[in-house]
């Protein structure tokens, strides 16, 4: 059961004005309650959705012992028996390298050989074909020769080699996909292999979002002095689409309390989650905090990180709220580090985790002041002695091109200061939402 904001605020390490990154993630996780409404979909339509109840395999997969490759099926004991009859060279016993057997049939995928296989006999077999009765091993065709004397099979194969067993992948009654699993392309194929046509999944998470700021203009309109195009809504839309949500774009609103109040009221009645960009810092025209205090609850306001310090988390009615900063890079970083995982939890996923960090050698100097976690944009490559990473240049929060060029974050801990070239640093690769 999700904890309430009041319960979380009683924690000893609760500080709404300066939340460390790890603690912020933990508080958000405890705060969330996944959706429960489900729907039944054809497996093609279920791609990108979350399994709502365990999917049980109705059959064994594969449904029969079969060959893992094109070759020759035979009884391994016949090889051992034949090898016992040694040849001799200059009076010395020599174990032969091959055993000659007689071909008695062919087993195709979908058209098995159903006849008997006697001692010293073998069957031509193709990948996926049913193993003939009494055969337990397959020799790959590249290691077999056929001539007038018969089929020459190598003696060095182990019993059972190149044979797939019935139920080796899944047995009847086993859990094929557990509840909370994201259905990807491989999972769709797995369901089809079981003969499953429809599955129960959670409905899409509805996420309403809007931007605030007098300076924002919609693309396609001319810019006046001091005005900029509203890029954040398009970034957020793309992130939500990649995350499998149902985006609800409410547009952009001027810095006016009544306008923002109406936006919150509209969003809270039609969405599970509300995301805003801008209006969460301490400026005189930043009204998001004021409206959230008036209409909802606040979990915390600031995170000890760069970029993205002014980030708000709370609730408006029954909708969860994430107030992202106004700077374009900070929007992307905070979504990636906090909102993406929260969305996965609300979607009912139990298999989601942030990509782990790895070590890489820094190739350029990085400037940083201790005191907060930094997520600098980087380009990770493979060097002659392992992974190397360089930052994308200017790390300003408004330089969106730094996100486009990057394929990872260089994660610099709170206590870290300036970092010299050649130092080992943590890198976090981007995942599919990016």
């Amino acid at each position: 059961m999700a904890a309430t904001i009041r319960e979380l605020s009683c924690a000893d390490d609760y500080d709404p004005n300066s939340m460390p990154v790890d603690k912020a993630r933990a508080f958000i996780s405890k705060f969330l309650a996944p959706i429960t409404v489900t729907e039944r979909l054809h497996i093609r339509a279920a791609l990108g959705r979350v399994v709502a109840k365990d999917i049980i395999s109705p059959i064994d997969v594969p449904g029969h012992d079969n060959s893992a490759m094109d070759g020759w099926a035979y009884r391994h004991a016949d090889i051992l028996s034949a090898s016992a009859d040694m040849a001799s060279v200059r009076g010395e016993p020599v174990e032969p390298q091959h055993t000659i057997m007689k071909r008695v049939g062919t087993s195709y995928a979908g058209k098995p050989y159903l006849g008997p296989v006697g001692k010293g006999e073998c069957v031509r077999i193709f990948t996926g074909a049913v193993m003939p009765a009494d055969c337990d091993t397959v020799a790959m065709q590249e290691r077999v020769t056929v001539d007038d004397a018969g089929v020459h099979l190598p003696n060095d194969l182990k019993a059972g080699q190149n044979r797939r067993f019935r139920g080796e992948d899944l047995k009847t009654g086993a859990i094929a996909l557990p509840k909370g699993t994201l259905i990807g392309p491989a999972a769709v194929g797995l369901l089809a292999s079981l003969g499953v046509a429809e599955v129960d999944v959670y409905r899409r998470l509805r996420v309403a979002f809007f931007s605030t700021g007098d300076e924002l203009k919609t693309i396609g309109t001319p810019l006046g002095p001091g005005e900029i195009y509203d890029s954040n809504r398009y970034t957020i839309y793309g992130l939500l689409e990649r995350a499998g949500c149902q985006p609800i774009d409410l547009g952009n609103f001027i810095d006016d309390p009544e306008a923002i109040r109406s936006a919150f009221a509209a969003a809270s009645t039609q969405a599970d989650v509300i995301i805003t960009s801008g209006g969460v810092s301490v400026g005189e025209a930043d009204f998001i905090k004021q409206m959230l205090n008036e209409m909802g609850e606040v979990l915390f306001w600031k995170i000890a990180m760069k970029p993205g310090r002014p980030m708000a988390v709370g609730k408006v009615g029954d909708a969860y709220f994430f107030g992202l900063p106004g700077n374009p890079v900070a929007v992307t970083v905070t979504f990636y580090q906090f909102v993406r995982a929260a969305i996965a939890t609300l979607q009912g996923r139990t298999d989601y985790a942030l990509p782990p960090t790895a070590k890489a050698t820094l190739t350029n100097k990085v400037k940083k002041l201790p005191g907060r976690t930094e997520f600098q944009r980087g380009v990770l490559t493979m060097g002659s002695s392992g992974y190397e990473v360089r930052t994308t240049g200017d790390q300003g929060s408004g330089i969106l091109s730094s996100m486009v060029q990057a394929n990872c974050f260089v994660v610099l801990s709170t206590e870290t200061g300036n970092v010299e070239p050649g130092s080992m640093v943590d890198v976090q690769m981007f995942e599919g939402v990016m």
Side-chain angles (χ1 to χ4, degrees), residues 298-369:
V298 181
L299 179 59
F300 57 78
W301 278 109
K302 296 176 182 177
I303 299 179
M305 65 180 286
K306 180 182 179 180
R309 185 168 181 263
M311 174 183 166
V313 177
K315 291 193 80 173
V316 179
D318 292 328
Y320 293 95
F321 170 74
F322 296 92
L324 307 186
N327 287 316
V329 172
V331 165
T332 311
V333 173
T334 51
F335 187 99
Y336 186 88
Q337 298 297 334
F338 302 99
V339 183
R340 180 66 188 91
I343 283 173
T345 298
L346 293 172
Q347 289 170 323
R349 288 185 62 179
T350 57
D351 61 345
Y352 180 81
L354 277 172
T357 58
K359 293 292 185 180
T361 302
L362 186 68
T363 62
N364 64 285
K365 184 174 181 176
V366 168
K367 294 182 178 181
K368 179 187 178 295
L369 293 174

Side-chain angles (χ1 to χ4, degrees), residues 75 102-105 113-119 121-123 132-135:
R75 187 168 34 250
K102 176 184 177 182
R103 175 179 179 169
V104 294
Y113 172 77
L114 301 177
V117 181
K119 183 176 181 180
E121 295 178 338
C122 62
V123 174
D134 299 323
C135 292

Side-chain angles (χ1 to χ4, degrees), residues 155-374:
N155 289 352
D156 58 354
L157 269 66
K158 296 179 181 179
Q161 195 159 337
N162 302 322
R163 172 191 183 185
R164 301 182 185 129
F165 291 89
R166 175 172 180 161
E168 185 175 278
D169 187 2
L170 283 170
K171 296 187 182 299
T172 302
I175 297 176
L177 289 178
K179 176 183 176 180
T181 301
L182 180 70
I183 300 177
V188 172
L190 175 64
L191 293 171
S193 76
L194 302 176
V196 174
E198 294 183 337
V199 292
D200 292 311
V201 297
Y202 292 113
R203 67 162 173 80
R204 288 193 187 278
L205 195 70
R206 296 188 290 263
V207 184
F209 60 101
F210 60 91
S211 300
T212 64
D214 293 340
E215 76 280 12
L216 300 179
K217 292 296 179 181
T218 302
I219 57 175
T221 59
L223 294 177
E227 295 178 339
I228 61 173
Y229 289 118
D230 180 9
S231 64
N232 288 347
R233 277 178 33 243
Y234 293 88
T235 298
I236 292 171
Y237 174 83
L239 292 167
L240 293 174
E241 278 284 341
R242 284 286 186 90
C245 300
Q246 179 183 336
I248 304 171
D249 186 353
L250 298 181
N252 60 284
F253 293 82
I254 61 173
D255 288 320
D256 175 77
E258 290 307 314
I260 295 172
R261 181 182 288 108
S262 65
F264 269 132
S268 63
T269 60
Q270 57 184 309
D272 307 295
V273 178
I274 302 169
I275 297 177
T276 64
S277 68
V280 291
S281 62
V282 294
E284 293 182 2
D286 292 331
F287 298 112
I288 292 293
K289 183 176 180 179
Q290 175 186 331
M291 289 301 105
L292 192 58
N293 283 326
E294 178 184 315
M295 303 176 67
E297 302 176 278
V298 181
L299 179 59
F300 57 78
W301 278 109
K302 296 176 182 177
I303 299 179
M305 65 180 286
K306 180 182 179 180
R309 185 168 181 263
M311 174 183 166
V313 177
K315 291 193 80 173
V316 179
D318 292 328
Y320 293 95
F321 170 74
F322 296 92
L324 307 186
N327 287 316
V329 172
V331 165
T332 311
V333 173
T334 51
F335 187 99
Y336 186 88
Q337 298 297 334
F338 302 99
V339 183
R340 180 66 188 91
I343 283 173
T345 298
L346 293 172
Q347 289 170 323
R349 288 185 62 179
T350 57
D351 61 345
Y352 180 81
L354 277 172
T357 58
K359 293 292 185 180
T361 302
L362 186 68
T363 62
N364 64 285
K365 184 174 181 176
V366 168
K367 294 182 178 181
K368 179 187 178 295
L369 293 174
R372 52 183 173 177
T373 303
E374 284 197 19

